[in-house]
Amino acid sequence: MTTSKRTIAIVCGGDSSEHDVSLRSAQGLYSFFDKERYNVYIVDFNRLDWRVNLPDGTSTPIDRNDFSFQENGETHHFDYAYITIHGTPGENGLLQGYFDLIGLPYSTSGVLVEALTFNKFVLNQYLRGYGVSVADSLLIRKGYEEVASEDEIEERIGMPCFVKPAADGSSFGVSKVKNKDQLAPAIRKAMLESSDVMVESYLEGTEISIGCYKTKEKSVVLPATEVVTNNEFFDYDAKYNGQVQEITPARLNPDTARRVAELTSHIYDILRCNGIIRIDYIIGKGKGSNGEEVDKIHLLEINTTPGMTLTSFIPQQVKAAGLEMKDVLSDIVENQF
């Protein structure tokens, strides 16, 4: 007896500066999916132009009424959407709301969680209430740039600091500011990506990134990746042009590695996430209860649609964990059926 395959849409593209990065993630996911188990199509979003790539190399429009498409004169419906859009509308809850309305299961968390994690400032304030350590920060909104003067920002946040879009990805519009004279141009640069800008204090330490996913049967926290770059920070060139050393598993002492894994799992549960997330941390130094030096874990941000190219963090971590990407993806898809 044969069982019909589920039809999977790998949804990529989107409306942010990371459109092309998303296309690369889609290609990675396409290579990872178990084709014996699933019929897999790539669906490219470019604002209101939604198109599915067909096996013959052509593309055809998606009917936005029900997310169906025509192939060889037949109407095809998807069973599941794997969202790999980095930025709007796939990482901020907009697309999730659409899929909820038409009843199509998808790979990410729901509308509220996506909106919350997309805005770094709001997320940090929310998780601070659960005892998660985050950098001090303030929010500047377009049209209200004069709320905090450069002197006030320097006194409150300190120098150096980071200026970044509050509601966008982490590859564009980010600046490391070393003195207050650099604040205004950095804020203008960030506002090209988002109308909300976060000014965040600088955290000294080792940057790591760690993936996590859960299903009804299992809870998996992947080995962390240590990020080493000679750039000022982990910027676009470091991420995508090879100007970085990525060490998986990260060089953490066993107790710190255990605490990072436990915190990652705890945050996943606090937010009630779905699918694979990736959390970035800074591991700094601090004083323990007895005055001894200990590793302090500070959250940077949460990525709910992490990169999925062959060299991205998550595939590296899955391999280091002794797992296969096709099995991980199948676990995530089947968890919702």
Side-chain angles (χ1 to χ4, degrees):
M1 180 179 177
T2 59
T3 303
S4 61
K5 294 181 179 180
R6 300 195 200 281
T7 301
I8 308 294
I10 299 175
V11 184
C12 63
D15 305 333
S16 78
S17 299
E18 294 189 81
H19 178 277
D20 292 347
V21 176
S22 172
L23 300 187
R24 297 205 292 272
S25 284
Q27 292 295 332
L29 282 164
Y30 186 86
S31 72
F32 296 140
F33 261 105
D34 187 346
K35 309 302 191 306
E36 294 183 2
R37 189 168 186 176
Y38 302 109
N39 297 313
V40 184
Y41 293 84
I42 292 177
V43 177
D44 185 354
F45 277 43
N46 192 346
R47 302 205 180 273
L48 292 180
D49 184 19
W50 302 5
R51 305 189 69 82
V52 58
N53 296 335
L54 300 177
D56 63 4
T58 64
S59 67
T60 190
I62 289 283
D63 183 343
R64 292 196 298 274
N65 290 298
D66 59 4
F67 207 63
S68 65
F69 66 98
Q70 297 285 323
E71 184 179 12
N72 298 325
E74 294 185 14
T75 300
H76 296 265
H77 293 86
F78 289 107
D79 299 301
Y80 186 90
Y82 197 104
I83 301 171
T84 190
I85 291 176
H86 309 313
T88 189
E91 205 172 9
N92 58 359
L94 296 180
L95 187 55
Q96 288 78 7
Y98 164 75
F99 285 142
D100 284 342
L101 286 171
I102 65 170
L104 184 67
Y106 50 86
S107 59
T108 69
S109 306
V111 173
L112 177 60
V113 175
E114 291 299 312
L116 180 63
T117 55
F118 190 64
N119 190 303
K120 302 177 185 69
F121 181 81
V122 174
L123 175 70
N124 283 5
Q125 309 317 308
Y126 181 77
L127 289 179
R128 194 194 301 272
Y130 284 90
V132 177
S133 176
V134 297
D136 191 17
S137 61
L138 57 82
L139 186 68
I140 298 174
R141 287 188 158 150
K142 186 171 288 187
Y144 296 90
E145 291 88 347
E146 304 305 319
V147 168
S149 69
E150 293 171 356
D151 289 336
E152 289 169 333
I153 293 173
E154 182 179 40
E155 182 178 353
R156 161 81 183 275
I157 302 298
M159 295 290 163
C161 66
F162 282 100
V163 175
K164 58 182 69 173
D168 202 71
S170 56
S171 297
F172 295 92
V174 182
S175 301
K176 183 177 181 180
V177 172
K178 296 180 179 179
N179 61 69
K180 64 181 182 182
D181 293 336
Q182 298 174 346
L183 278 170
I187 291 169
R188 287 195 296 271
K189 176 181 176 181
M191 282 188 176
L192 293 175
E193 305 293 331
S194 169
S195 58
D196 287 358
V197 171
M198 181 166 70
V199 182
E200 184 177 55
S201 63
Y202 174 74
L203 294 172
E204 183 75 39
T206 300
E207 183 169 352
I208 65 166
S209 189
I210 182 168
C212 177
Y213 72 95
K214 301 191 181 191
T215 68
K216 300 179 188 77
E217 288 80 29
K218 64 182 73 173
S219 174
V220 179
V221 180
L222 299 169
T225 297
E226 180 180 344
V227 180
V228 182
T229 179
N230 291 325
N231 295 10
E232 285 285 1
F233 59 96
F234 190 42
D235 59 7
Y236 182 88
D237 284 330
K239 286 182 181 179
Y240 303 115
N241 293 330
Q243 298 175 13
V244 67
Q245 183 182 8
E246 299 166 3
I247 303 167
T248 308
R251 297 170 296 184
L252 301 173
N253 73 53
D255 180 65
T256 302
R258 175 189 59 79
R259 290 192 293 123
V260 167
E262 289 177 352
L263 177 60
T264 300
S265 178
H266 183 48
I267 290 172
Y268 193 104
D269 291 342
I270 288 171
L271 297 173
R272 298 183 180 179
C273 291
N274 178 59
I276 299 179
I277 68 167
R278 199 193 74 225
I279 303 184
D280 300 339
Y281 299 98
I282 291 289
I283 309 299
K285 294 298 181 182
K287 295 295 183 182
S289 57
N290 297 321
E292 75 280 15
E293 187 177 79
V294 296
D295 286 338
K296 293 288 189 180
I297 305 168
H298 309 285
L299 180 138
L300 280 181
E301 65 177 82
I302 298 177
N303 192 321
T304 59
T305 62
M308 285 292 182
T309 68
L310 294 173
T311 58
S312 294
F313 288 149
I314 294 297
Q316 287 183 49
Q317 294 171 12
V318 167
K319 182 178 180 180
L323 304 173
E324 295 286 340
M325 277 298 303
K326 71 180 181 67
D327 296 329
V328 171
L329 294 176
S330 295
D331 282 347
I332 290 169
V333 171
E334 296 305 319
N335 186 57
Q336 290 175 259
F337 292 98

